[in-house]
């Protein structure tokens, strides 16, 4: 059975570290601690004294003064890893942690998980081909030597960097290494760790190279694991759940995140807020528990993106050049059916096709599987359709040999509606306003990845009002935009009113509109 040696790098709050060590070793696992040499010596002595009788805790033989972005963080990790390898010969896995991490599964579950997945868990993407680095230096991290700390010695850091650039003092990357990049929070098998330590004994040139790269904790282990271990034995992800804001800052978790964290497909979470005392207490008791069943929903990142994105609704990017330069033509008419309940819009479209000669396309810019004629390949992916919206629709007009076309649009796509309303073609808009039951909203949350199949009722109860308000806000934005030719039908309105709106929208007779709207189950879920 798996036995985990936790590699803990920390620099503050010795009491929390003591508690963390006692919690994680209570189930038979072990821990090697590196406490930053810059930290208070008395705090370090208190920590060592409190844990001296715990046979499952050891300390790095040499403490390093650590700095963000420096080799010192990697060296401190290696010192703790070596201490764990020497002290715990029965450890099967080595798991990298910080003082801000806490287990979100039981030891029983973690051992089962690692036994079932005989792989190394480390996020590792190609340094040059991936977009893991969003801004700032990329290649310059590697081809120049970085001797100073960018945060505490910024003037020296950038002066040295600019001097090397001016005089062309670049260096080669070790020829046999493919540089990889990813999160520094990994879990490696014992064989892998021992291979890394042996490799470093044989290759001092690799240590020299990484010791002067910038932020090597994002590249060192990621590169060596890929270099030494077959790809099929690597799970390209971190086993620690962590998220970042739009500004690159780690997201903190608080007391009310307990159920969300337990539902994620990870073993630990980072980072737990220092103020989340209740969350820490509950997670601390969890690790040693037995017989706990976890229902994995794994919606955390989608849910975070949805909730934080509410403040950005309506933001529009500049037009692509092919959108600005493309027009459908003044003689054509586009009929946009805007509805959040896709099945309702599709039923209405089926009725329009059966009662009129106007061709209809369902959710062209939302649904990959939308039935489309062959347009030379531009129709094959949502990405292509969205990049070339007007071009795609113009080709649909030509393919159907018509000057009228009905398209379904999700209310969240205000940009799509604005784009067609800005064209020379005449655009008509029919919004379908549906009623949303709590059950429908829960189902919607699960379909779009905001909730899992096993989320507790309490968590869903908090999500429902947010979803309801979000849908109402999307509708408000459309109505507030003041589009010409805007009409609306409502689930709550009398059929005669909806028939009149459909007749005006499509420019058809009242009899045709009645035939279209006679479907009794149009609004049914």
């Amino acid at each position: 059975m798996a036995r985990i040696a936790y590699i803990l790098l920390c620099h503050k709050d010795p009491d929390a570290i003591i508690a963390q060590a006692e919690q994680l070793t209570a189930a038979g696992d072990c821990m090697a601690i590196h406490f930053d040499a810059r930290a208070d010596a008395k705090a370090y002595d208190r920590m060592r004294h409190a844990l001296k009788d715990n046979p499952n805790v050891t300390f790095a033989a040499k403490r390093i003064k650590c700095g963000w972005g420096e080799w010192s963080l990697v060296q401190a990790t290696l010192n703790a890893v070596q201490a764990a390898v020497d002290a715990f010969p029965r450890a099967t896995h080595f798991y990298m942690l910080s003082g801000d991490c806490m287990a979100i599964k039981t030891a029983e579950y973690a051992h089962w998980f690692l036994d079932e997945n005989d792989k190394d868990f480390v996020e590792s993407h190609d340094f040059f081909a991936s977009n893991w680095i969003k801004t700032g230096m990329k290649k310059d991290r590697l081809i120049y030597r970085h001797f100073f700390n960018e945060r505490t010695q910024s003037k020296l850091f950038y002066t040295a960097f600019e001097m090397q650039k001016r005089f062309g003092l670049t260096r080669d990357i070790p020829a046999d290494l493919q540089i990889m990049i990813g999160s520094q929070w990994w879990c490696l098998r014992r064989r892998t760790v021992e291979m890394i330590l042996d490799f470093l004994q044989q290759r001092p040139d690799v240590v020299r190279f990484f010791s002067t790269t910038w932020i090597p904790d994002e590249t060192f282990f990621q590169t060596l694991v890929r270099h030494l271990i077959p790809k099929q034995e690597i799970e390209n992800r971190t086993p620690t759940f962590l998220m970042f804001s739009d500004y690159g800052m780690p997201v903190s978790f608080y007391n009310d995140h307990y159920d969300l964290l337990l539902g994620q497909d990870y073993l630990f979470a980072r980072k737990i807020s220092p103020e989340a005392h209740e969350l820490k207490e509950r997670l601390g008791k969890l690790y040693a528990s037995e017989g706990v069943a976890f229902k994995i929903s794994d919606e955390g990142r989608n849910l975070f993106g949805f909730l934080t994105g509410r403040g950005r609704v309506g933001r529009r990017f500049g037009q692509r050049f092919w959108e600005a330069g493309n027009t459908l033509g003044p003689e054509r008419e586009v009929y946009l059916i805007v509805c959040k309940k896709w099945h309702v819009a599709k039923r209405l479209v089926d009725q329009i096709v059966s009662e009129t000669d106007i061709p209809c396309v369902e959710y062209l810019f939302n649904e990959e599987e939308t039935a489309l004629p062959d347009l030379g390949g531009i129709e094959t992916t949502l990405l292509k359709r969205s990049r070339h919206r007007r071009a795609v629709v113009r080709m649909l007009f030509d393919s159907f040999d018509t000057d009228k076309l009905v398209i379904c649009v999700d209310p969240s796509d205000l940009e799509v509606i604005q784009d067609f309303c800005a064209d020379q073609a005449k655009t008509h808009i029919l919004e379908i306003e549906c009623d949303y039951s709590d059950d429908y909203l829960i189902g919607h949350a699960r379909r779009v990845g905001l909730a899992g199949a096993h989320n507790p009722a309490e968590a869903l109860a908090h999500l429902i009002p947010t979803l309801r308000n979000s849908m109402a806000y999307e509708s408000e934005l459309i109505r507030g935009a003041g589009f010409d030719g805007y009409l609306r039908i409502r689930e709550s309105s009398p059929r005669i009113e909806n028939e009149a709106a459909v007749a005006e929208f499509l420019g058809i007779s009242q009899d045709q509109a009645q035939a279209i709207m006679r479907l009794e189950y149009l609004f049914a879920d």
Side-chain angles (χ1 to χ4, degrees), residues 235-520:
E235 190 74 22
N236 187 7
R237 73 175 182 99
T238 171
T240 298
F241 180 60
L242 66 162
M243 298 189 298
F244 291 90
S245 71
D246 289 349
Y247 303 100
M249 300 300 292
V251 174
S252 293
F253 299 107
Y254 295 89
N255 292 334
D256 56 349
H257 288 131
Y258 180 80
D259 291 323
L260 180 142
L261 291 177
L262 266 58
Q264 306 314 305
D265 191 18
Y266 296 85
L267 303 181
F268 278 74
R270 182 181 188 273
K271 59 188 210 172
I272 308 300
S273 170
E275 289 79 33
H277 302 296
E278 180 186 342
L279 177 61
K280 288 186 174 183
E281 182 179 356
R282 296 178 73 183
L283 292 177
K285 293 177 180 177
L286 174 71
Y287 191 72
S289 302
E290 295 182 352
V292 179
F294 294 95
K295 297 177 179 179
I296 305 300
S297 57
D298 212 25
E299 81 290 3
R301 288 193 173 89
N302 286 341
L303 184 58
F304 175 78
F306 168 75
L307 294 175
T308 56
R310 294 309 86 205
R312 298 190 298 273
V313 172
R315 177 177 293 180
R316 176 180 170 86
F317 294 98
Q319 285 187 317
R320 309 288 201 271
F321 70 89
W322 51 78
E323 293 174 336
N326 224 350
T327 180
L328 304 178
E331 74 283 0
R332 286 171 166 162
E333 296 184 71
V334 180
Y335 299 84
L336 301 180
I337 296 178
V338 184
C339 185
K340 198 68 178 180
K341 290 186 177 181
W342 292 7
H343 61 279
V344 174
K346 290 178 181 181
R347 289 171 187 161
L348 184 63
V349 159
D350 288 341
Q351 291 293 100
I352 293 172
V353 170
S354 67
E355 300 295 336
T356 74
D357 59 357
I358 304 174
C360 300
V361 178
E362 293 177 357
Y363 284 87
L364 175 63
F365 303 111
N366 304 101
E367 196 168 29
E368 193 89 53
E369 295 77 20
T370 297
L372 294 170
D374 183 359
L375 302 178
I378 196 174
E379 81 287 355
T380 54
T381 68
L382 282 175
L383 182 62
K384 288 182 180 179
R385 296 178 214 162
S386 297
R387 283 181 174 173
H388 308 279
R389 281 194 294 264
R390 295 187 190 179
V392 170
V393 172
R394 188 183 185 100
M395 294 172 76
L396 286 171
F397 274 114
D398 293 339
S399 178
F400 290 124
D401 191 20
T402 183
D403 288 332
K404 295 183 176 182
L405 181 65
V406 173
I407 300 172
C408 295
V409 180
D410 190 273
S412 63
D413 287 336
L414 180 63
E415 181 182 351
V416 173
I417 302 171
Q418 290 172 326
D419 193 19
F420 286 111
C421 287
D423 192 82
Q424 293 180 8
K426 187 174 182 180
T427 302
H428 310 267
I429 301 168
L430 178 70
E431 184 181 8
I432 305 177
E433 185 179 288
C434 300
D435 298 333
Y436 302 109
S437 67
D438 288 355
D439 287 341
Y440 173 81
L441 292 173
I442 291 171
H444 175 75
R446 287 171 176 157
R447 285 190 295 273
V448 300
L450 297 177
H454 305 293
N455 281 76
E458 302 81 21
L460 292 172
H462 289 298
L463 183 58
I464 286 170
T466 304
L467 279 171
R468 196 182 301 279
N469 290 336
S470 175
M471 292 179 181
Y473 184 59
E474 290 174 352
S475 183
E476 288 174 10
L477 286 175
I478 293 170
R479 293 198 302 273
F483 295 121
D484 292 334
Y486 171 85
L487 294 163
R488 177 170 53 172
I489 64 174
R490 298 177 176 175
E491 183 173 352
S492 58
S493 294
R495 179 182 292 183
I496 190 170
E497 291 184 12
N498 289 338
E499 290 171 354
V502 169
E504 184 178 351
F505 171 64
L506 294 173
I508 57 177
S509 68
Q510 194 66 29
D511 289 342
Q512 285 179 297
Q514 288 176 356
I516 290 171
M517 293 302 295
R518 69 187 169 196
L519 198 65
E520 294 294 337

Side-chain angles (χ1 to χ4, degrees), residues 197-223:
L197 295 176
D198 290 342
F199 178 80
L200 296 178
Q201 291 292 325
Q202 302 166 19
R203 294 289 301 274
D205 62 305
V206 172
V207 175
R208 284 196 301 271
F209 173 77
F210 280 104
S211 66
T212 52
T213 61
W214 190 40
I215 322 181
D217 54 318
E218 294 180 349
T219 55
F220 180 78
F221 288 98
Q222 297 80 352
T223 298

